[in-house]
Amino acid sequence: MKKTIITVVGKDTVGIIARVCTYLADNRINILDISQTIVQGFFNMMMIVDTNLTGKDFGVIVDELNALGEEIGVVIKCQKEEIFDQMHRI
């Protein structure tokens, strides 16, 4: 399994989750866990996904999600699980 951490942050608007999840489904990226909150009008979502079945390179996914984020007015970041773990090790 190739786990990736995806974060989405920005002002809350209709359809953020739908657009991100549609991209993931269209690219055979499975959502393993998801958490989202809205605090005083700001949207925050963290997802753990499995990219094992997608035919796209990680860099392409990152670029496409960055472009999607710009299109819908949020910031979308992707990190491979092993890099995320190393960055957040205490």
Side-chain angles (χ1 to χ4, degrees):
M1 188 176 310
K2 296 179 188 174
K3 289 185 183 177
T4 299
I5 311 302
I6 298 175
T7 57
V8 181
V9 178
K11 285 208 155 218
D12 186 37
T13 58
V14 173
I16 296 171
I17 296 172
R19 294 289 300 274
V20 173
C21 290
T22 297
Y23 172 85
L24 298 176
D26 289 347
N27 288 282
R28 300 185 65 196
I29 298 171
N30 188 38
I31 299 168
L32 303 172
D33 202 355
I34 184 171
S35 172
Q36 71 105 91
T37 58
I38 300 168
V39 178
Q40 295 186 2
F42 290 93
F43 178 87
N44 182 39
M45 178 169 63
M46 181 176 171
M47 308 169 91
I48 300 172
V49 300
D50 178 8
T51 58
N52 196 46
L53 296 178
T54 188
K56 293 186 177 179
D57 289 332
F58 182 76
V60 172
I61 294 167
V62 169
D63 292 343
E64 289 178 350
L65 283 173
N66 282 336
L68 176 60
E70 288 178 18
E71 183 182 320
I72 61 178
V74 298
V75 176
I76 303 176
K77 298 289 184 188
C78 297
Q79 293 178 305
K80 291 183 178 181
E81 179 186 37
E82 56 270 15
I83 294 171
F84 186 87
D85 287 343
Q86 291 298 322
M87 288 177 52
H88 295 91
R89 183 174 284 175
I90 296 178

